[in-house]
Short mmCIF file of all heavy atoms in Angstrom, two decimals:
data_model
loop_
_atom_site.label_atom_id
_atom_site.label_comp_id
_atom_site.label_asym_id
_atom_site.label_seq_id
_atom_site.Cartn_x
_atom_site.Cartn_y
_atom_site.Cartn_z
N GLU Q 67 -40.73 20.18 42.89
CA GLU Q 67 -41.35 19.46 44.00
C GLU Q 67 -41.75 18.05 43.58
O GLU Q 67 -41.92 17.16 44.42
CB GLU Q 67 -42.57 20.23 44.50
CG GLU Q 67 -42.21 21.61 45.05
CD GLU Q 67 -43.45 22.41 45.40
OE1 GLU Q 67 -44.56 21.84 45.38
OE2 GLU Q 67 -43.32 23.61 45.71
N GLY Q 68 -41.98 17.87 42.30
CA GLY Q 68 -42.32 16.58 41.73
C GLY Q 68 -41.74 16.50 40.35
O GLY Q 68 -40.98 17.38 39.92
N ILE Q 69 -42.09 15.46 39.60
CA ILE Q 69 -41.57 15.33 38.24
C ILE Q 69 -42.18 16.41 37.35
O ILE Q 69 -43.39 16.42 37.11
CB ILE Q 69 -41.88 13.92 37.68
CG1 ILE Q 69 -41.17 12.86 38.52
CG2 ILE Q 69 -41.45 13.83 36.22
CD1 ILE Q 69 -41.49 11.44 38.09
N ASP Q 70 -41.35 17.32 36.92
CA ASP Q 70 -41.74 18.42 36.01
C ASP Q 70 -42.82 19.32 36.60
O ASP Q 70 -43.64 19.89 35.86
CB ASP Q 70 -42.21 17.85 34.66
CG ASP Q 70 -41.08 17.19 33.89
OD1 ASP Q 70 -39.92 17.49 34.19
OD2 ASP Q 70 -41.37 16.36 33.00
N CYS Q 71 -42.86 19.46 37.92
CA CYS Q 71 -43.84 20.36 38.52
C CYS Q 71 -43.27 20.94 39.81
O CYS Q 71 -42.40 20.35 40.46
CB CYS Q 71 -45.16 19.64 38.79
SG CYS Q 71 -45.08 18.38 40.08
N GLY Q 72 -43.79 22.11 40.19
CA GLY Q 72 -43.30 22.80 41.36
C GLY Q 72 -42.01 23.53 41.07
O GLY Q 72 -41.38 23.36 40.02
N GLY Q 73 -41.58 24.39 41.99
CA GLY Q 73 -40.37 25.17 41.77
C GLY Q 73 -40.54 26.10 40.58
O GLY Q 73 -41.50 26.86 40.51
N PRO Q 74 -39.64 26.02 39.57
CA PRO Q 74 -39.76 26.88 38.40
C PRO Q 74 -40.82 26.42 37.42
O PRO Q 74 -41.11 27.11 36.44
CB PRO Q 74 -38.36 26.80 37.77
CG PRO Q 74 -37.88 25.44 38.15
CD PRO Q 74 -38.41 25.19 39.54
N CYS Q 75 -41.38 25.25 37.62
CA CYS Q 75 -42.39 24.68 36.70
C CYS Q 75 -43.80 24.96 37.22
O CYS Q 75 -43.99 25.54 38.29
CB CYS Q 75 -42.17 23.18 36.53
SG CYS Q 75 -40.50 22.73 35.99
N VAL Q 76 -44.79 24.51 36.48
CA VAL Q 76 -46.18 24.68 36.89
C VAL Q 76 -46.41 23.96 38.20
O VAL Q 76 -45.77 22.95 38.52
CB VAL Q 76 -47.13 24.13 35.79
CG1 VAL Q 76 -46.99 22.62 35.64
CG2 VAL Q 76 -48.57 24.49 36.09
N SER Q 77 -47.34 24.47 39.00
CA SER Q 77 -47.63 23.88 40.30
C SER Q 77 -48.04 22.41 40.15
O SER Q 77 -48.77 22.03 39.23
CB SER Q 77 -48.77 24.65 40.99
OG SER Q 77 -49.26 23.95 42.10
N CYS Q 78 -47.57 21.57 41.09
CA CYS Q 78 -47.95 20.15 41.07
C CYS Q 78 -49.45 19.98 41.25
O CYS Q 78 -50.04 19.02 40.77
CB CYS Q 78 -47.19 19.39 42.16
SG CYS Q 78 -45.42 19.25 41.87
N ARG Q 79 -50.09 20.92 41.95
CA ARG Q 79 -51.53 20.84 42.17
C ARG Q 79 -52.32 21.07 40.88
O ARG Q 79 -53.47 20.66 40.77
CB ARG Q 79 -51.96 21.85 43.23
CG ARG Q 79 -51.38 21.56 44.61
CD ARG Q 79 -51.79 22.64 45.60
NE ARG Q 79 -51.27 22.37 46.93
CZ ARG Q 79 -51.47 23.16 47.99
NH1 ARG Q 79 -52.18 24.28 47.84
NH2 ARG Q 79 -50.96 22.85 49.15
N ILE Q 80 -51.68 21.76 39.94
CA ILE Q 80 -52.31 21.98 38.64
C ILE Q 80 -51.98 20.84 37.68
O ILE Q 80 -52.84 20.35 36.95
CB ILE Q 80 -51.87 23.33 38.04
CG1 ILE Q 80 -52.38 24.48 38.92
CG2 ILE Q 80 -52.36 23.49 36.61
CD1 ILE Q 80 -51.94 25.85 38.45
N LYS Q 81 -50.70 20.40 37.69
CA LYS Q 81 -50.27 19.37 36.74
C LYS Q 81 -50.85 18.00 37.09
O LYS Q 81 -51.20 17.22 36.21
CB LYS Q 81 -48.74 19.29 36.72
CG LYS Q 81 -48.19 18.41 35.59
CD LYS Q 81 -46.68 18.51 35.51
CE LYS Q 81 -46.13 17.68 34.35
NZ LYS Q 81 -46.54 18.21 33.05
N TYR Q 82 -50.99 17.72 38.40
CA TYR Q 82 -51.48 16.41 38.84
C TYR Q 82 -52.64 16.60 39.82
O TYR Q 82 -52.52 16.35 41.02
CB TYR Q 82 -50.37 15.60 39.50
CG TYR Q 82 -49.16 15.37 38.61
CD1 TYR Q 82 -47.94 15.99 38.89
CD2 TYR Q 82 -49.24 14.55 37.50
CE1 TYR Q 82 -46.83 15.78 38.09
CE2 TYR Q 82 -48.13 14.35 36.68
CZ TYR Q 82 -46.94 14.97 36.98
OH TYR Q 82 -45.85 14.76 36.17
N PRO Q 83 -53.81 17.04 39.33
CA PRO Q 83 -54.94 17.28 40.23
C PRO Q 83 -55.52 15.97 40.76
O PRO Q 83 -55.42 14.91 40.14
CB PRO Q 83 -55.95 18.00 39.33
CG PRO Q 83 -55.63 17.55 37.95
CD PRO Q 83 -54.13 17.37 37.92
N LYS Q 84 -56.16 16.07 41.93
CA LYS Q 84 -56.84 14.92 42.52
C LYS Q 84 -58.19 14.71 41.85
O LYS Q 84 -58.77 15.64 41.26
CB LYS Q 84 -57.03 15.15 44.02
CG LYS Q 84 -55.73 15.31 44.79
CD LYS Q 84 -56.01 15.59 46.26
CE LYS Q 84 -54.72 15.78 47.05
NZ LYS Q 84 -54.97 16.09 48.47
N ASN Q 85 -58.73 13.50 41.96
CA ASN Q 85 -60.03 13.18 41.38
C ASN Q 85 -61.15 13.89 42.11
O ASN Q 85 -61.06 14.15 43.33
CB ASN Q 85 -60.27 11.67 41.42
CG ASN Q 85 -59.32 10.90 40.53
OD1 ASN Q 85 -58.86 11.41 39.51
ND2 ASN Q 85 -59.02 9.67 40.91
N LEU Q 86 -62.24 14.19 41.39
CA LEU Q 86 -63.44 14.71 42.02
C LEU Q 86 -64.05 13.62 42.91
O LEU Q 86 -63.97 12.43 42.60
CB LEU Q 86 -64.46 15.13 40.96
CG LEU Q 86 -64.02 16.19 39.95
CD1 LEU Q 86 -65.16 16.52 39.00
CD2 LEU Q 86 -63.53 17.45 40.64
N ASN Q 87 -64.67 14.06 44.01
CA ASN Q 87 -65.26 13.11 44.95
C ASN Q 87 -66.78 13.25 44.98
O ASN Q 87 -67.31 14.36 44.96
CB ASN Q 87 -64.74 13.36 46.37
CG ASN Q 87 -63.24 13.14 46.48
OD1 ASN Q 87 -62.68 12.27 45.81
ND2 ASN Q 87 -62.58 13.93 47.32
N ALA Q 88 -67.48 12.12 45.01
CA ALA Q 88 -68.93 12.09 45.24
C ALA Q 88 -69.12 11.47 46.62
O ALA Q 88 -68.97 10.26 46.80
CB ALA Q 88 -69.63 11.28 44.17
N SER Q 89 -69.42 12.31 47.61
CA SER Q 89 -69.48 11.82 48.99
C SER Q 89 -70.76 11.05 49.29
O SER Q 89 -70.77 10.13 50.11
CB SER Q 89 -69.33 12.99 49.97
OG SER Q 89 -70.28 14.01 49.69
N TRP Q 90 -71.87 11.41 48.59
CA TRP Q 90 -73.12 10.68 48.82
C TRP Q 90 -74.10 10.99 47.69
O TRP Q 90 -73.96 11.96 46.96
CB TRP Q 90 -73.75 11.07 50.16
CG TRP Q 90 -74.02 12.53 50.33
CD1 TRP Q 90 -73.17 13.49 50.81
CD2 TRP Q 90 -75.24 13.23 50.00
NE1 TRP Q 90 -73.76 14.73 50.78
CE2 TRP Q 90 -75.03 14.60 50.31
CE3 TRP Q 90 -76.47 12.84 49.48
CZ2 TRP Q 90 -76.01 15.56 50.12
CZ3 TRP Q 90 -77.45 13.81 49.28
CH2 TRP Q 90 -77.22 15.15 49.60
N ILE Q 91 -75.10 10.13 47.57
CA ILE Q 91 -76.19 10.34 46.62
C ILE Q 91 -77.46 9.77 47.24
O ILE Q 91 -77.43 8.71 47.89
CB ILE Q 91 -75.90 9.69 45.25
CG1 ILE Q 91 -77.06 9.96 44.27
CG2 ILE Q 91 -75.62 8.21 45.37
CD1 ILE Q 91 -76.74 9.58 42.84
N LYS Q 92 -78.56 10.46 47.08
CA LYS Q 92 -79.83 10.09 47.70
C LYS Q 92 -80.96 10.30 46.71
O LYS Q 92 -80.92 11.23 45.89
CB LYS Q 92 -80.05 10.94 48.96
CG LYS Q 92 -81.32 10.62 49.75
CD LYS Q 92 -81.42 11.54 50.95
CE LYS Q 92 -82.69 11.29 51.76
NZ LYS Q 92 -82.68 9.95 52.41
N THR Q 93 -81.97 9.45 46.75
CA THR Q 93 -83.16 9.63 45.93
C THR Q 93 -84.36 9.96 46.81
O THR Q 93 -84.49 9.44 47.92
CB THR Q 93 -83.47 8.37 45.10
OG1 THR Q 93 -83.60 7.23 45.97
CG2 THR Q 93 -82.36 8.09 44.09
N LEU Q 94 -85.23 10.84 46.28
CA LEU Q 94 -86.43 11.26 46.98
C LEU Q 94 -87.61 11.18 46.02
O LEU Q 94 -87.45 11.42 44.82
CB LEU Q 94 -86.29 12.70 47.49
CG LEU Q 94 -85.19 12.97 48.52
CD1 LEU Q 94 -85.00 14.47 48.70
CD2 LEU Q 94 -85.53 12.32 49.85
N PRO Q 95 -88.81 10.85 46.51
CA PRO Q 95 -89.98 10.81 45.62
C PRO Q 95 -90.31 12.20 45.10
O PRO Q 95 -90.18 13.20 45.81
CB PRO Q 95 -91.09 10.26 46.52
CG PRO Q 95 -90.65 10.58 47.91
CD PRO Q 95 -89.16 10.52 47.90
N ALA Q 96 -90.76 12.27 43.84
CA ALA Q 96 -91.08 13.57 43.22
C ALA Q 96 -92.38 13.48 42.44
O ALA Q 96 -92.52 14.07 41.38
CB ALA Q 96 -89.94 14.02 42.31
N GLY Q 97 -93.33 12.72 42.95
CA GLY Q 97 -94.59 12.56 42.25
C GLY Q 97 -94.69 11.18 41.62
O GLY Q 97 -93.83 10.32 41.82
N GLU Q 98 -95.74 11.00 40.86
CA GLU Q 98 -96.00 9.69 40.27
C GLU Q 98 -94.92 9.31 39.25
O GLU Q 98 -94.67 10.01 38.28
CB GLU Q 98 -97.37 9.70 39.58
CG GLU Q 98 -97.81 8.34 39.07
CD GLU Q 98 -99.20 8.37 38.48
OE1 GLU Q 98 -99.83 9.44 38.48
OE2 GLU Q 98 -99.66 7.32 38.00
N ASN Q 99 -94.24 8.17 39.53
CA ASN Q 99 -93.21 7.61 38.65
C ASN Q 99 -92.07 8.58 38.36
O ASN Q 99 -91.46 8.55 37.29
CB ASN Q 99 -93.83 7.14 37.33
CG ASN Q 99 -94.78 5.97 37.53
OD1 ASN Q 99 -94.53 5.09 38.35
ND2 ASN Q 99 -95.88 5.97 36.79
N LYS Q 100 -91.76 9.43 39.34
CA LYS Q 100 -90.63 10.33 39.22
C LYS Q 100 -89.87 10.39 40.54
O LYS Q 100 -90.48 10.33 41.62
CB LYS Q 100 -91.07 11.74 38.82
CG LYS Q 100 -91.54 11.86 37.38
CD LYS Q 100 -91.79 13.30 36.99
CE LYS Q 100 -92.24 13.42 35.55
NZ LYS Q 100 -91.20 12.98 34.60
N VAL Q 101 -88.55 10.50 40.43
CA VAL Q 101 -87.71 10.65 41.62
C VAL Q 101 -86.71 11.76 41.38
O VAL Q 101 -86.37 12.09 40.25
CB VAL Q 101 -86.96 9.34 41.96
CG1 VAL Q 101 -87.92 8.24 42.32
CG2 VAL Q 101 -86.03 8.93 40.82
N ILE Q 102 -86.25 12.35 42.47
CA ILE Q 102 -85.18 13.33 42.43
C ILE Q 102 -83.93 12.67 42.99
O ILE Q 102 -83.95 12.11 44.08
CB ILE Q 102 -85.53 14.59 43.23
CG1 ILE Q 102 -86.65 15.36 42.56
CG2 ILE Q 102 -84.30 15.49 43.40
CD1 ILE Q 102 -87.10 16.60 43.30
N ALA Q 103 -82.84 12.75 42.23
CA ALA Q 103 -81.54 12.27 42.71
C ALA Q 103 -80.70 13.49 43.07
O ALA Q 103 -80.50 14.38 42.24
CB ALA Q 103 -80.84 11.43 41.65
N VAL Q 104 -80.23 13.54 44.29
CA VAL Q 104 -79.37 14.64 44.72
C VAL Q 104 -78.04 14.05 45.16
O VAL Q 104 -77.98 13.08 45.92
CB VAL Q 104 -80.03 15.46 45.86
CG1 VAL Q 104 -80.45 14.57 47.02
CG2 VAL Q 104 -79.08 16.55 46.35
N SER Q 105 -76.95 14.64 44.67
CA SER Q 105 -75.61 14.14 44.93
C SER Q 105 -74.76 15.24 45.55
O SER Q 105 -74.79 16.38 45.08
CB SER Q 105 -74.94 13.66 43.64
OG SER Q 105 -75.80 12.85 42.86
N GLY Q 106 -74.02 14.90 46.57
CA GLY Q 106 -73.07 15.82 47.15
C GLY Q 106 -71.68 15.54 46.60
O GLY Q 106 -71.15 14.44 46.77
N ILE Q 107 -71.09 16.50 45.89
CA ILE Q 107 -69.78 16.28 45.28
C ILE Q 107 -68.81 17.35 45.77
O ILE Q 107 -69.22 18.41 46.27
CB ILE Q 107 -69.84 16.28 43.74
CG1 ILE Q 107 -70.14 17.68 43.20
CG2 ILE Q 107 -70.88 15.28 43.25
CD1 ILE Q 107 -69.95 17.79 41.69
N GLU Q 108 -67.50 17.07 45.61
CA GLU Q 108 -66.46 17.98 46.10
C GLU Q 108 -65.27 17.96 45.16
O GLU Q 108 -64.88 16.92 44.64
CB GLU Q 108 -66.03 17.55 47.50
CG GLU Q 108 -64.91 18.40 48.08
CD GLU Q 108 -64.46 17.90 49.44
OE1 GLU Q 108 -64.99 16.86 49.90
OE2 GLU Q 108 -63.58 18.54 50.04
N ASN Q 109 -64.70 19.14 44.95
CA ASN Q 109 -63.44 19.28 44.23
C ASN Q 109 -62.34 19.53 45.25
O ASN Q 109 -62.25 20.62 45.82
CB ASN Q 109 -63.51 20.43 43.23
CG ASN Q 109 -62.21 20.63 42.47
OD1 ASN Q 109 -61.29 19.82 42.56
ND2 ASN Q 109 -62.12 21.72 41.71
N PRO Q 110 -61.47 18.53 45.54
CA PRO Q 110 -60.44 18.70 46.56
C PRO Q 110 -59.26 19.58 46.12
O PRO Q 110 -58.37 19.87 46.92
CB PRO Q 110 -59.97 17.27 46.82
CG PRO Q 110 -60.17 16.57 45.51
CD PRO Q 110 -61.42 17.20 44.91
N ASN Q 111 -59.27 20.01 44.87
CA ASN Q 111 -58.17 20.81 44.32
C ASN Q 111 -58.44 22.30 44.53
O ASN Q 111 -59.48 22.81 44.12
CB ASN Q 111 -58.01 20.53 42.82
CG ASN Q 111 -57.81 19.06 42.53
OD1 ASN Q 111 -56.76 18.50 42.79
ND2 ASN Q 111 -58.85 18.40 41.99
N VAL Q 112 -57.48 22.99 45.14
CA VAL Q 112 -57.67 24.41 45.44
C VAL Q 112 -57.14 25.31 44.34
O VAL Q 112 -57.35 26.53 44.38
CB VAL Q 112 -56.99 24.78 46.78
CG1 VAL Q 112 -57.63 24.04 47.93
CG2 VAL Q 112 -55.48 24.50 46.73
N GLU Q 113 -56.46 24.75 43.34
CA GLU Q 113 -55.89 25.57 42.27
C GLU Q 113 -56.51 25.31 40.91
O GLU Q 113 -56.17 26.00 39.95
CB GLU Q 113 -54.37 25.37 42.20
CG GLU Q 113 -53.62 25.89 43.41
CD GLU Q 113 -52.12 25.91 43.21
OE1 GLU Q 113 -51.70 25.94 42.04
OE2 GLU Q 113 -51.38 25.89 44.19
N VAL Q 114 -57.41 24.32 40.80
CA VAL Q 114 -58.04 24.04 39.52
C VAL Q 114 -59.53 23.78 39.71
O VAL Q 114 -59.96 23.17 40.69
CB VAL Q 114 -57.40 22.82 38.80
CG1 VAL Q 114 -55.99 23.12 38.38
CG2 VAL Q 114 -57.44 21.58 39.69
N GLY Q 115 -60.33 24.29 38.77
CA GLY Q 115 -61.73 23.94 38.67
C GLY Q 115 -61.89 22.88 37.59
O GLY Q 115 -60.91 22.42 36.99
N SER Q 116 -63.14 22.51 37.32
CA SER Q 116 -63.34 21.43 36.36
C SER Q 116 -64.70 21.53 35.69
O SER Q 116 -65.69 21.89 36.32
CB SER Q 116 -63.22 20.07 37.06
OG SER Q 116 -63.53 19.02 36.18
#
Side-chain angles (χ1 to χ4, degrees):
E67 298 174 10
I69 297 176
D70 293 340
C71 68
C75 304
V76 66
S77 168
C78 292
R79 295 178 179 179
I80 295 177
K81 190 173 182 66
Y82 302 111
K84 299 178 181 178
N85 294 331
L86 302 181
N87 297 326
S89 54
W90 57 272
I91 181 170
K92 182 180 178 67
T93 56
L94 297 169
E98 186 176 359
N99 294 323
K100 288 187 179 296
V101 297
I102 291 178
V104 54
S105 313
I107 70 169
E108 178 183 2
N109 179 9
N111 304 287
V112 297
E113 293 191 23
V114 293
S116 174

